[in-house]
């Protein structure tokens, strides 16, 4: 997959089959769009492409909105490539771009710059200043500018359309199983293993502290069954998101106890897949009560079937 970070530098006569959107999560609804996109591109001799934006438009329109995303740019790029997209356009959502009308966006970006011949959009997609662009406008202008357009219906989960927002809400509630079903893959976080307070090792549960990208959405505070990936190898783990209130902690941390593992991994990049929710964050009355709960969490993690 070719990644283009600056539309001003892009010039090609290659006609494209394109879809537009944030594609945060690259969830099952997005995967349906991409599948259709790739099929159309193959059948019509086009190349498939995605136009997405950074930062998220919500953070531009509402700077105080502390929006966390399902994917980092690197994760989104990996997932789009995995799903067979041939071109990825990463467009900065700047002041000039946000002020383009729907018609200007179609003319200047889709037609003049990207040479789009087939456009696929999601069921609720709008674009342009004041959301002036929609499926009806695209249909109206498609014959004039020589491209085809289609709108893909939503993919439902329990009668509700799958959306990035719905998945974020599930994760905030700790419902990682529902999030994984809507995503079509297992939600994960990655980061470098950094130093911590090393309290875990004093009670028989040494943990790896993970420095997670601050833009990445973390599930709700609590304990989880996870898969841990280190140097291409897979382990079972129990992960805690929280402030460690039992020992007087105050800052949020992401810590994972890796079963049957005792190597030094400081400075390494690791990733964890969220498989099940164990319990909310608890402030225990003593370290002994904390250890009892950790022992039970370990038993549940050992017995969990991946």
């Amino acid at each position: 997959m070719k990644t283009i970070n600056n539309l001003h530098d892009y010039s090609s006569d290659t006609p494209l089959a394109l879809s537009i959107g944030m594609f945060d999560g690259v969830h099952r609804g997005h995967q349906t769009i991409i599948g259709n996109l790739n099929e159309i591109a193959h059948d019509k001799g086009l190349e498939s492409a995605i136009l997405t934006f950074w930062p998220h438009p919500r953070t531009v329109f509402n700077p105080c909105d502390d929006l966390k995303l399902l994917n980092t740019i690197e994760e989104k790029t990996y997932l789009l490539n995995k799903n067979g997209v041939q071109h990825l356009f990463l467009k900065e959502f700047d002041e000039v771009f946000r002020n383009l009308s729907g018609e200007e966006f179609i003319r200047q970006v889709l037609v003049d710059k990207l040479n789009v011949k087939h456009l696929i959009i999601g069921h609720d997609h709008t674009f342009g200043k004041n959301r002036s662009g929609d499926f009806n406008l695209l249909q109206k202008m498609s014959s004039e500018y020589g491209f085809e357009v289609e709108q893909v219906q939503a993919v439902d989960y329990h009668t509700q359309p799958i959306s990035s927002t719905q998945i974020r809400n599930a994760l905030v509630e700790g419902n990682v199983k529902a999030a994984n079903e809507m995503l079509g893959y297992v939600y994960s976080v990655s980061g470098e293993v950094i130093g911590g307070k090393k309290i875990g090792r004093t009670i028989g549960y040494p943990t790896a502290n993970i420095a997670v990208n601050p833009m990445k959405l973390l599930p709700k505070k609590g304990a989880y069954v996870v898969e841990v990936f280190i140097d291409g190898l897979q382990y079972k783990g129990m992960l805690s998101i929280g402030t460690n209130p039992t020992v007087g902690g105050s800052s949020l941390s992401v810590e994972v106890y890796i079963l049957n593992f005792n190597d030094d991994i400081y400075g390494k990049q690791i990733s964890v897949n969220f498989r099940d929710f164990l319990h909310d964050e608890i402030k225990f009355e003593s370290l002994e009560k904390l250890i009892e709960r950790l022992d039970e969490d370990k038993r549940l993690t050992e017995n969990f079937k991946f």
Side-chain angles (χ1 to χ4, degrees), residues 110-249:
L110 299 186
V111 177
D112 294 344
K113 176 57 69 173
L114 298 182
N115 192 20
V116 172
K117 294 302 180 185
H118 196 103
L119 183 69
I120 300 179
I121 63 171
H123 69 103
D124 58 352
H125 185 73
T126 58
F127 57 92
K129 186 175 182 179
N130 300 322
R131 297 184 175 181
S132 55
D134 58 13
F135 182 63
N136 290 330
L137 179 63
L138 287 164
Q139 281 187 311
K140 178 182 175 183
M141 296 183 69
S142 61
S143 57
E144 179 182 355
Y145 289 103
F147 64 88
E148 296 180 81
V149 59
E150 64 178 285
Q151 192 170 39
V152 175
Q153 294 306 305
V155 175
D156 286 348
Y157 175 74
H158 292 180
T159 73
Q160 295 297 317
I162 293 174
S163 69
S164 303
T165 299
Q166 190 180 7
I167 296 168
R168 291 189 203 107
N169 290 341
L171 290 169
V172 167
E173 294 167 0
N175 194 348
V176 295
K177 287 187 174 179
N180 292 341
E181 289 179 18
M182 288 186 280
L183 286 167
Y185 60 90
V186 183
Y187 191 69
S188 68
V189 299
S190 303
E192 180 183 343
V193 177
I194 59 174
K197 294 182 178 179
K198 300 181 173 62
I199 294 172
R201 66 177 57 185
T202 67
I203 57 175
Y205 284 94
T207 59
N209 286 258
I210 308 171
V212 178
N213 187 312
M215 288 297 296
K216 177 83 172 180
L217 177 69
L218 293 173
K220 74 180 291 189
K221 292 179 182 178
Y224 296 83
V225 177
V226 296
E227 294 167 284
V228 186
F229 295 89
I230 307 168
D231 294 334
L233 299 177
Q234 177 183 349
Y235 305 87
K236 282 187 175 182
M238 41 200 250
L239 179 138
S240 169
I241 300 173
T243 59
N244 297 308
T246 304
V247 294

Side-chain angles (χ1 to χ4, degrees), residues 88-102:
L88 172 60
F89 297 97
L90 291 173
K91 177 71 181 76
E92 180 185 0
F93 197 78
D94 55 22
E95 194 68 23
V96 173
F97 189 78
R98 67 179 282 190
N99 282 308
L100 289 177
S101 69

